[in-house]
Amino acid sequence: MSILHSVPDPEGEPERHSPAGRRLSDLWAGVTSPATRPSGPPRFLTDVVVDLGLADRERVEQAVVAARAQGTTPERVLLTERTITQDGLARALAERHGLHHVDLTVFRPDMQVAALLKPAQAKRFEAVPVARLDDRTLLVAMADPTNVLALDDIGLMTGLEVRPGVSSREDVLALVGRLSTLDDAVRDASIEEEAEGGPAEVVDLRESADDAPVVKLVNQIIAQAVEQGASDVHLEPNGRDLRVRFRIDGVLQETTTVPKRMVSGVVSRVKIMSELDIAERRLPQDGRVGLTVAGHHVDLRVVTLPSVHGESVVMRILDKEAVIMELDRLGMAGGELERFRRSVGKPHGCVLATGPTGSGKSTTLYAALGELNTPDKNIITIEDPVEYQVDGITQVQVNPRAGLQFATGLRSMMRADPDVIMVGEIRDRDTAQIAVEAALTGHLVLSTLHTNDAPTAITRLTEMGIEPFLVASAIDAVVAQRLARTLCRHCKARTVVSVDVLREHGFPARFDVEAYEQVGCARCSGSGYRGRVGLYEVMTMSEEIRKLVVARAPTDQIAEVAVREGMRRLRDDGLEKIANGVTSVAEVTRVTGLGSAL
């Protein structure tokens, strides 16, 4: 069996054509032929990057120097610093090796051909067959065309000749994800269960939860949720079947449905995994389980809720590798970042992160702790729950059953010689009082609070019963935030947003703004968005604001002074990110509210 490793052949053999005698680039949209044939000694990939205009020579030379210092490759440095994209790297690889570049966002793969490889094999090889060139030859899109062993294995598994093309790694893995859709997994599990004489209406719950089809289905649901970057998985019975939804980039998306006869088995399987009582269906329960998915560890926080149609399950996915824990990468603008860094760098005082649930408050505090986490500091946290375990930090888990609440744990932490204290959330007067006292006695205290904006946090503390003069003395800064979806960089379209539209959405604009709008493509699953970025307002306590706090001034007055002293509101930060093409008017409006003063 012959495996075609490069096109055109290095010895000058002409490009192999389709059966109709046409070039591949003429036959299929999304396929680009190499501009030159490989001749002479192989070129450095960085030279190809420069020749294709993906980066200038000076920047590439800097990457070469940085790569030597870091023990990596120049192209990896260029990718990390976002000088080139993964698709740009794929184009350079294709050109260097004289191969076709296959743009999987344009090219339409033959899914029957793609199914010749099992998803696990395709994922291991980072390669997927996408078309038949003739009766005996496959075109394979792969991220690494130099992986000869993968080409040989694919040829042996399919019994066909293999012709490699180059695609970006993210596009190949996205196509692999489409090979193993949840709908197929549900159908296969359902068929397998029927063949095995699946559970009837009344069965032993534990036995049905251990059935192989149910186990595989639950594993597939969790694995696909992790691959798609979901933060939560919702399993919701409606009396007929079980609806499965993923929360991706803060928005719930319906994924599939599970047949009624498998519902009890699926729910019981999740409860067994998280060590919950499968016989208890009348009361809410919560548990936790650690799993390894795609080679890295993730934690699941599981909550069950009794509903009129049966038990509803929500699984929160905690994937430490997917969380940004660096202040520079959170999306804070220069002024806000400088204010925040200055506050968390002080030896004492209280810094609060505010916003609704799921707005990234804990991530901001973890990023701050990452900069404070040095051998000369004793850092203690008390959280409910401990979401991400960090080396070098003592982390305490709230345990209400044992009597360990935020307030009691915080009192004990004060006697453990801390330099920095992080309180997961200020929920009541006792916790607020101890946190404020800790900030006044020489400790740096970080915590979260549920308020809509930064100025409101001050009045919330006084409403809890904390004396205004203590609040004014203890609080050093308050950061309010939201998470907005970022536009997909592959398909976003340039547009001009008129003053009228901006004002209609509550933005105090005086000019039209050049921006981008969402479109939708294969890489973003048609949503037009991929990933999220923070919107921030950072209020630091000046002498004038302290006087207003002591005088119990209303929130609006505090906000007015803070803005006059340089604080930007959330929507102002959002407008800047709109103008920079990071997000859209619709998205900023969605997360901040129409006509909001935030």
Side-chain angles (χ1 to χ4, degrees):
M1 183 183 303
S2 63
I3 309 296
L4 306 180
H5 291 310
S6 63
V7 180
D9 187 275
E11 297 180 359
E13 181 183 333
E15 178 184 9
R16 186 171 176 176
H17 297 277
S18 68
R22 298 165 62 191
R23 293 165 57 91
L24 296 186
S25 52
D26 297 330
L27 187 64
W28 283 304
V31 178
T32 305
S33 301
T36 59
R37 295 180 180 179
S39 60
R43 291 189 292 167
F44 287 112
L45 187 57
T46 48
D47 291 337
V48 180
V49 168
V50 173
D51 292 344
L52 291 177
L54 301 173
D56 58 55
R57 174 64 64 182
E58 181 181 359
R59 182 66 205 92
V60 167
E61 293 298 336
Q62 292 172 355
V64 170
V65 174
R68 287 175 186 157
Q70 298 172 18
T72 184
T73 60
E75 54 269 22
R76 180 58 54 189
V77 173
L78 292 172
L79 277 174
T80 302
E81 297 180 352
R82 299 185 179 181
T83 301
I84 63 173
T85 63
Q86 287 199 22
D87 191 60
L89 177 60
R91 291 178 185 276
L93 277 170
E95 187 65 31
R96 180 179 186 243
H97 295 288
L99 300 172
H100 287 86
H101 173 259
V102 182
D103 186 348
L104 292 177
T105 63
V106 178
F107 182 86
R108 301 188 66 176
D110 185 333
M111 297 307 287
Q112 289 185 334
V113 172
L116 292 173
L117 272 190
K118 293 182 179 179
Q121 296 166 339
K123 189 170 186 176
R124 186 171 76 252
F125 298 143
E126 293 186 344
V128 184
V130 292
R132 282 184 181 269
L133 301 182
D134 52 43
D135 291 340
R136 60 189 179 88
T137 310
L138 293 177
L139 175 63
V140 176
M142 57 194 312
D144 181 8
T146 64
N147 190 346
V148 178
L149 293 178
L151 290 169
D152 290 339
D153 285 348
I154 294 171
L156 290 171
M157 290 174 181
T158 61
L160 298 168
E161 294 182 350
V162 175
R163 188 176 186 187
V166 187
S167 299
S168 73
R169 177 170 276 100
E170 62 181 350
D171 288 348
V172 171
L173 294 180
L175 179 55
V176 172
R178 288 166 58 192
L179 292 179
S180 54
T181 62
L182 275 183
D183 288 337
D184 293 337
V186 171
R187 183 177 62 251
D188 294 345
S190 181
I191 292 171
E192 189 173 343
E193 188 176 71
E194 285 182 351
E196 294 180 3
E201 287 299 321
V202 180
V203 294
D204 185 307
L205 288 179
R206 183 174 295 279
E207 190 174 303
S208 69
D210 288 335
D211 282 348
V214 171
V215 172
K216 287 192 289 188
L217 177 57
V218 172
N219 291 346
Q220 181 68 31
I221 289 172
I222 295 171
Q224 184 154 333
V226 172
E227 284 184 9
Q228 294 186 4
S231 60
D232 300 87
V233 177
H234 291 244
L235 307 177
E236 302 160 336
N238 56 21
R240 300 180 303 277
D241 45 35
L242 186 75
R243 182 169 66 162
V244 180
R245 295 194 293 173
F246 294 165
R247 187 177 293 279
I248 300 174
D249 293 335
V251 178
L252 277 172
Q253 301 177 9
E254 188 159 347
T255 306
T256 189
T257 56
V258 176
K260 183 177 181 179
R261 64 178 175 277
M262 299 183 69
V263 171
S264 62
V266 168
V267 172
S268 297
R269 175 61 188 169
V270 174
K271 292 171 74 173
I272 288 171
M273 290 170 59
S274 49
E275 298 182 347
L276 302 179
D277 183 358
I278 63 171
E280 179 57 75
R281 302 193 208 177
R282 300 165 300 172
L283 297 174
Q285 298 184 70
D286 61 88
R288 189 166 186 152
V289 60
L291 301 170
T292 299
V293 179
H296 64 272
H297 183 79
V298 298
D299 285 329
L300 299 181
R301 276 168 45 195
V302 180
V303 175
T304 66
L305 294 172
S307 71
V308 293
H309 296 300
E311 282 186 288
S312 174
V313 179
V314 178
M315 293 181 280
R316 167 66 57 89
I317 300 173
L318 304 173
D319 184 358
K320 184 176 180 180
E321 295 182 18
V323 176
I324 298 173
M325 292 193 183
E326 299 175 20
L327 281 178
D328 291 325
R329 297 176 57 201
L330 292 179
M332 281 192 193
E336 280 73 27
L337 182 58
E338 182 183 350
R339 285 168 157 231
F340 185 67
R341 266 210 173 103
R342 192 163 56 239
S343 295
V344 298
K346 293 183 178 180
H348 54 80
C350 184
V351 177
L352 298 175
T354 72
T357 301
S359 60
K361 302 184 296 295
S362 295
T363 300
T364 299
L365 295 187
Y366 272 116
L369 288 180
E371 296 199 353
L372 297 171
N373 188 11
T374 56
D376 61 330
K377 289 188 178 69
N378 180 25
I379 302 176
I380 306 177
T381 74
I382 180 165
E383 306 168 63
D384 182 21
V386 174
E387 294 190 356
Y388 303 104
Q389 297 178 13
V390 182
D391 293 336
I393 295 177
T394 302
Q395 296 174 274
V396 179
Q397 168 83 45
V398 167
N399 188 346
R401 293 179 182 175
L404 178 56
Q405 300 282 7
F406 277 116
T408 54
L410 195 48
R411 286 192 185 94
S412 299
M413 288 163 56
M414 291 291 292
R415 298 190 290 270
D417 188 31
D419 295 296
V420 181
I421 296 171
M422 187 182 96
V423 184
E425 183 184 345
I426 294 179
R427 297 177 178 173
D428 50 52
R429 184 186 184 283
D430 288 344
T431 306
Q433 186 73 41
I434 300 167
V436 166
E437 290 174 357
L440 292 173
T441 54
H443 305 88
L444 177 63
V445 179
L446 309 179
S447 188
T448 69
L449 195 63
H450 286 283
T451 63
N452 287 331
D453 60 1
T456 307
I458 303 300
T459 54
R460 175 64 56 85
L461 289 174
T462 57
E463 288 169 357
M464 282 184 174
I466 310 302
E467 291 296 332
F469 71 91
L470 293 177
V471 175
S473 301
I475 304 299
D476 192 77
V478 183
V479 53
Q481 62 185 88
R482 299 289 189 277
L483 288 178
R485 291 180 294 173
T486 54
L487 289 166
C488 174
R489 58 188 173 85
H490 298 287
C491 66
K492 64 182 181 181
R494 196 166 184 176
T495 186
V496 175
V497 184
S498 68
V499 172
D500 293 338
V501 171
L502 289 171
R503 288 178 177 172
E504 181 183 336
H505 286 79
F507 295 97
R510 290 183 294 174
F511 305 100
D512 294 347
V513 173
E514 291 187 12
Y516 289 82
E517 60 185 357
Q518 70 274 21
V519 176
C521 67
R523 286 188 175 117
C524 61
S525 302
S527 68
Y529 298 96
R530 191 172 184 184
R532 288 192 289 180
V533 68
L535 308 181
Y536 300 91
E537 65 179 32
V538 180
M539 183 184 78
T540 52
M541 296 289 283
S542 65
E543 286 305 315
E544 186 173 354
I545 293 178
R546 292 184 199 279
K547 292 177 181 177
L548 292 175
V549 173
V550 172
R552 296 182 182 268
T555 301
D556 292 346
Q557 193 173 345
I558 295 174
E560 184 182 336
V561 173
V563 170
R564 191 170 67 240
E565 293 179 346
M567 181 185 81
R568 289 198 314 167
R569 305 311 302 262
L570 284 167
R571 291 175 70 82
D572 295 332
D573 189 30
L575 185 58
E576 180 178 310
K577 288 180 168 69
I578 290 168
N580 290 336
V582 177
T583 188
S584 66
V585 171
E587 184 62 12
V588 173
T589 302
R590 182 183 71 85
V591 299
T592 61
L594 182 63
S596 169
L598 299 180

